[in-house]
């Protein structure tokens, strides 16, 4: 089942909520705010949520987007849920490494790898 | 502030544009720089680095420096040469003290959602500096010769020191 949204595609698979991004660039302040609110709504309505963020097709993001992901991570932890990231391209993964956020997030090469860890 | 002498390019070679403090206007200027890079054959790693560093600097200028005030202006100066890209961005704000920005990579700061823009600019650019007031940033990326270590690898190792 797909939920229509301006920025996200959301589907369910074996009790995992899989979110992928419509935009190739996650840069604009307003879009980042809307994405964050939308994901946090998904998290807040499901205690113990198992959430996979699939970054296929995303080729740019900013520090504001990283901040949004950190806020999502904090919400997921409050809900005793699990968050996994997957399909992050090489250049964006470098951004995670430089900021050491690869230590904070659980990042997998593929969505299947991430699902196996949820 | 004039271009730093160490950047090796005279002030007269810079292109200067002054645009309204609106994301769309600033984005047009940013796109012009990227288009110039692409027309000169720069690779995707360099384009990624410049886009990222400019994005962070422009967001800082529009939002923090100019407080989202559309009556204010952002001034860009840039140079796209064979082996270096130079970008300067100035806003009309009171400035800030970069040395007071906490290190976002420390364990105690990892879960804080803000404060990564400056360190990303420093990681992706060879040199980043500010004027004394702190409302004007100068950044230069020197291009590695082909076959050398990529800028991302180089910068990651510098950042980890």
């Amino acid at each position: 089942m797909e939920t229509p949204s301006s920025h996200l595609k959301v589907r369910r698979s074996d009790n995992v909520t899989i979110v992928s991004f419509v935009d190739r660039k996650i840069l604009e302040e307003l879009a980042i705010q809307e994405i964050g609110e939308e994901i946090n709504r998904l998290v807040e309505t499901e205690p113990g949520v198992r959430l996979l963020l699939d970054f296929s097709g995303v080729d740019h993001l900013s520090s504001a987007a990283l901040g949004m992901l950190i806020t999502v991570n904090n919400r997921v932890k409050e809900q005793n849920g699990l968050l996994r990231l997957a399909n992050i391209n090489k250049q964006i993964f470098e951004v995670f490494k430089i900021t050491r956020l690869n230590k904070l997030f659980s990042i997998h090469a593929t969505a299947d790898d991430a699902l196996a860890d949820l | 502030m004039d271009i730093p002498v160490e950047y090796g390019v005279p002030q007269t070679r810079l292109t200067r544009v002054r645009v309204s403090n609106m994301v769309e206007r600033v984005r047009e200027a940013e796109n012009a720089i990227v288009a110039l890079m692409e027309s000169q054959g720069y690779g995707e790693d360099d384009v990624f680095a410049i886009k990222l560093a400019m994005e962070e600097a422009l967001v800082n200028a529009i939002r923090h420096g100019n407080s989202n005030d559309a009556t204010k202006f952002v001034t860009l100066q840039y140079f796209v040469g064979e082996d270096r890209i130079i970008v300067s961005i100035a806003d009309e704000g009171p400035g800030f003290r970069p040395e007071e920005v906490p290190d976002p990579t420390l364990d105690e700061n990892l879960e804080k959602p803000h404060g990564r823009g400056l360190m990303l600019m420093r990681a992706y650019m060879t040199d980043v500096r500010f004027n004394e007031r702190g409302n004007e940033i100068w950044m230069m990326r020197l291009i590695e010769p082909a076959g050398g270590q990529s800028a991302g690898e180089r910068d990651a190792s510098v950042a980890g020191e």
Side-chain angles (χ1 to χ4, degrees):
Chain A
M1 186 186 76
E2 281 211 0
T3 308
S5 147
S6 55
H7 300 290
L8 303 178
K9 285 183 281 189
V10 182
R11 63 192 174 91
R12 297 275 295 182
S13 171
D14 292 336
N15 293 323
V16 176
T17 302
I18 303 173
V19 173
S20 53
F21 300 89
V22 173
D23 306 325
R24 283 177 50 224
K25 302 174 198 296
I26 308 179
L27 297 175
E28 304 293 345
E29 188 178 4
L30 180 62
I32 290 169
Q33 193 183 331
E34 288 171 356
I35 290 169
E37 286 169 2
E38 208 169 330
I39 297 176
N40 284 329
R41 270 199 300 277
L42 292 171
V43 172
E44 281 158 13
T45 53
E46 189 180 353
V49 64
R50 295 194 294 163
L51 179 65
L52 166 58
L53 300 183
D54 184 337
F55 286 81
S56 300
V58 176
D59 55 22
H60 280 278
L61 52 73
S62 63
S63 67
L66 295 176
M68 176 269 289
L69 294 173
I70 290 168
T71 304
V72 167
N73 186 51
N74 291 341
R75 291 281 158 76
V76 170
K77 279 207 298 197
E78 285 164 19
Q79 292 280 64
N80 296 313
L82 292 174
L83 173 66
R84 300 289 181 263
L85 276 47
N87 284 321
I88 294 180
N89 84 13
K90 185 170 142 270
Q91 288 170 326
I92 294 181
F93 185 64
E94 196 67 35
V95 174
F96 278 83
K97 274 171 44 186
I98 289 168
T99 52
R100 285 191 70 229
L101 289 177
N102 58 327
K103 307 287 179 202
L104 185 68
F105 292 106
S106 180
I107 300 174
H108 294 269
T110 67
D112 283 346
D113 288 351
L115 284 171
D117 189 38
L118 275 166
Chain B
M1 144 181 188
D2 285 342
I3 186 168
V5 176
E6 296 87 343
Y7 284 13
V9 172
Q11 185 82 26
T12 50
R13 300 280 311 274
L14 298 172
T15 303
R16 186 172 184 275
V17 283
R18 186 167 177 264
V19 295
S20 295
N21 192 55
M22 293 185 285
V23 172
E24 314 83 69
R25 293 285 89 76
V26 169
R27 194 74 71 197
E28 286 168 15
E30 187 180 343
N31 289 342
I33 296 171
V34 169
L36 196 55
M37 286 182 68
E38 287 171 343
S39 73
Q40 294 195 23
Y42 275 99
E44 60 177 29
D45 282 352
D46 291 318
V47 172
F48 181 88
I50 295 295
K51 272 187 179 173
L52 186 139
M54 276 199 299
E55 179 69 26
E56 300 297 338
L58 290 167
V59 166
N60 285 347
I62 295 172
R63 190 200 300 164
H64 301 303
N66 284 342
S67 309
N68 287 319
D69 180 346
T71 67
K72 292 186 172 169
F73 289 88
V74 174
T75 304
L76 287 96
Q77 297 181 82
Y78 59 91
F79 172 81
V80 179
E82 274 181 20
D83 70 341
R84 67 196 59 204
I85 294 144
I86 296 165
V87 180
S88 167
I89 293 163
D91 59 59
E92 298 182 52
F96 81 115
R97 292 178 161 277
E99 65 275 13
E100 288 177 3
V101 177
D103 180 352
T105 64
L106 297 178
D107 283 343
E108 64 262 34
N109 294 334
L110 268 191
E111 292 186 59
K112 293 181 183 165
H114 300 291
R116 286 179 183 77
L118 182 58
M119 77 102 34
L120 282 173
M121 289 185 267
R122 288 196 166 123
Y124 280 92
M125 302 300 279
T126 312
D127 185 87
V128 174
R129 60 182 76 186
F130 293 85
N131 66 349
E132 198 173 342
R133 177 168 143 194
N135 69 327
E136 180 176 337
I137 186 172
W138 283 84
M139 309 186 279
M140 174 172 69
R141 181 173 166 95
L142 279 174
I143 309 309
E144 298 282 328
Q149 198 180 22
S150 81
E153 286 161 1
R154 182 193 67 230
D155 294 328
S157 64
V158 170
E161 274 171 9

